[in-house]
Amino acid sequence: MKTYTILLVCSALLFSSCGIFTTKPVETQPPAAPVDTLEKLHTDIDTVLQETLFTTASVGIKVVAVRNGEVLYEKNPRKLHHPASTTKLFTAATALARLGPDYRFETTLYVDADADTQVIGDIYFKGRADPVLQPQDIMKLVDTLLEAGVKSIQGDIVVDATYLDTVREGPGWMWDDRPLRISALSIRQIEPEPGTRSRALACGYLLKNELIEKGIEMIGDVVPGTVPLDAQTVAKHVSPPLADILKLMNKPSNNWIAELLFKTIGAEVMGEPGTWQKGRDAINEFLEEIMGEPPVHRFVDGSGLSRYNLLNAELLTRLLVSMHHDFKLMPEFLASLPIAGVDGTLRSRMQGMSAEKMLRAKTGTLSGVSALAGYTTTADGEVVAFGILISHYVGSATPARDIQDQIGSYLTGFSRHPVSNVNGKLSQDE
């Protein structure tokens, strides 16, 4: 038996040496295939654009790297759309460039050059298109008169609104947008004077009532007119700086501020009175200065209310890139934009997504139109500018906004670092 066992062991060793009994080789994974992250970004966005909304709707998109202008994605970038409130980006940019971040609007009271200190004849009330003028600002003007010793006004309150023209409604505005009725002297909360439909006269009556309330005798009435060339200033209200006003315009998308600013740009660049045409000419001049020959477009107002406005994603991104490279203006321009999930018109959007608290952009909405244009920072810390224009759909803007939000999230999560495809799963290379 012992001999038999020894023979079995020897036989096993012999067969093993001949290769009859072999061990199974260790299996190794094939080399991981690198994934083109930019191609994946394209695929992700293209997939979003397969939504049923685009069975009828039109879309124009462009995404560029701010640093060198590299196009990361585009689809119909030169197709014209109604820009809605993304128009305010151009109003804000031109205002910063032409007026400066520290520009302030003035509202002034004048008297005749030979007026007595205590008893004066006419008093002149001139507005220069302050878009954030408040009733309490007029009250402070009256306080200044009291401090100067004025006791009686024997003449009229002459209201001067000649800094802007007398056209109160923008080109192509729908009938239900007309209540804006902007004027060089106006307060948004105060309705136009009945009969005349003049906001300037309404402000004049507010001044008159405050004068009487504070004990200053008021003999005359409120009338339209102009300030004499030799009149002297007795009280002045100065607005907050333009940089602060732009936040009040862009974050909540305030049309009132945008239109008064648009005409002010016209007045300051092209000469008084400010008009919509002069505002348009000033913006076009600015675009030619920073772009040479800008893409085909048309601006007729400053807020985007008019459907005569037309532009494309190409123009949006070129403006955004140019402004980001202008260090003198970029901080104020960027600070005026709503922040995803935080404030303004983006307060309730992109919450819980990678774009939350990162993406900054201007929204735009009209019936059948939804737009989003601005900046975000990718996972690599790279700043990108984008313009997304969606139009010609019927119904709620929610589906269009959801698509914009998803694209914004893809851009914020985008990384140029190569990834590997292992067992169908993406993993970041170390």
Side-chain angles (χ1 to χ4, degrees), residues 312-346:
N312 54 33
E314 171 76 17
L315 182 59
L316 279 169
T317 53
R318 287 180 67 176
L319 173 77
L320 291 165
V321 169
S322 177
M323 291 301 292
H324 203 275
H325 285 308
D326 191 331
F327 187 74
K328 292 187 298 182
L329 305 180
M330 182 271 286
E332 287 80 10
F333 184 72
L334 187 63
S336 75
L337 301 180
I339 304 171
V342 175
D343 63 10
T345 53
L346 289 180

Side-chain angles (χ1 to χ4, degrees), residues 102-421:
D102 297 324
Y103 180 86
R104 295 172 185 263
F105 298 83
E106 296 181 355
T107 305
T108 313
L109 292 179
Y110 300 87
V111 295
D112 291 316
D114 58 353
D116 183 81
T117 303
Q118 296 186 354
V119 180
I120 60 179
D122 292 332
I123 189 166
Y124 304 93
F125 190 15
K126 184 175 180 66
R128 291 183 176 82
D130 185 344
V132 294
L133 189 66
Q134 301 295 313
Q136 57 265 33
D137 298 328
I138 294 180
M139 297 175 188
K140 291 178 182 177
L141 290 175
V142 175
D143 291 339
T144 302
L145 288 180
L146 286 170
E147 292 169 3
V150 175
K151 297 183 181 300
S152 176
I153 298 174
Q154 299 293 303
D156 294 322
I157 296 176
V158 180
V159 173
D160 186 342
T162 59
Y163 180 72
L164 303 182
D165 68 358
T166 58
V167 180
R168 307 299 182 210
E169 299 162 1
W173 286 5
M174 303 293 285
W175 68 269
D176 48 352
D177 294 320
R178 292 177 180 175
L180 284 180
R181 293 193 59 79
I182 68 171
S183 165
L185 178 58
S186 50
I187 296 175
R188 186 69 179 101
Q189 306 95 302
I190 298 179
E191 293 299 318
E193 187 64 17
T196 64
R197 301 183 69 193
S198 169
R199 289 189 182 275
L201 290 179
C203 289
Y205 281 108
L206 177 63
L207 175 64
K208 179 179 180 180
N209 293 338
E210 188 64 20
L211 289 167
I212 296 171
E213 181 72 21
K214 294 290 180 66
I216 297 178
E217 183 183 27
M218 182 71 230
I219 303 299
D221 203 352
V222 177
V223 298
T226 57
V227 178
L229 293 177
D230 61 348
Q232 58 180 324
T233 300
V234 290
K236 179 186 293 185
H237 168 72
V238 179
S239 76
L242 176 64
D244 292 341
I245 292 175
L246 290 182
K247 295 176 185 177
L248 300 175
M249 178 181 81
N250 278 339
K251 286 186 179 289
S253 202
N254 188 298
N255 296 328
W256 174 267
I257 294 175
E259 296 303 346
L260 282 168
L261 184 53
F262 190 77
K263 280 193 169 184
T264 296
I265 294 168
E268 294 296 314
V269 175
M270 301 291 176
E272 299 179 29
T275 68
W276 271 289
Q277 179 64 53
K278 289 179 180 178
R280 179 199 310 179
D281 291 343
I283 287 182
N284 286 335
E285 181 184 82
F286 167 67
L287 292 179
E288 290 174 4
E289 179 181 301
I290 64 174
M291 298 182 191
E293 185 176 349
V296 175
H297 67 281
R298 181 173 66 205
F299 290 114
V300 300
D301 68 10
S303 68
L305 279 173
S306 176
R307 289 183 180 269
Y308 295 164
N309 295 311
L310 290 170
L311 57 80
N312 54 33
E314 171 76 17
L315 182 59
L316 279 169
T317 53
R318 287 180 67 176
L319 173 77
L320 291 165
V321 169
S322 177
M323 291 301 292
H324 203 275
H325 285 308
D326 191 331
F327 187 74
K328 292 187 298 182
L329 305 180
M330 182 271 286
E332 287 80 10
F333 184 72
L334 187 63
S336 75
L337 301 180
I339 304 171
V342 175
D343 63 10
T345 53
L346 289 180
R347 178 185 297 275
S348 61
R349 292 176 60 176
M350 291 173 252
Q351 293 180 347
M353 305 174 77
S354 61
E356 183 179 7
K357 298 182 181 179
M358 294 292 292
L359 184 145
R360 296 181 178 232
K362 184 72 199 72
T363 58
T365 306
L366 291 171
S367 177
V369 176
S370 183
L372 187 70
Y375 309 96
T376 194
T377 302
T378 70
D380 300 332
E382 181 180 16
V383 179
V384 298
F386 63 88
I388 308 171
L389 297 162
I390 302 173
S391 60
H392 303 106
Y393 60 85
V394 176
S396 169
T398 299
R401 291 173 180 167
D402 289 344
I403 289 167
Q404 293 159 2
D405 293 355
Q406 186 61 63
I407 294 173
S409 185
Y410 284 146
L411 296 177
T412 309
F414 172 68
S415 173
R416 291 182 184 272
H417 295 162
V419 295
S420 300
N421 192 334

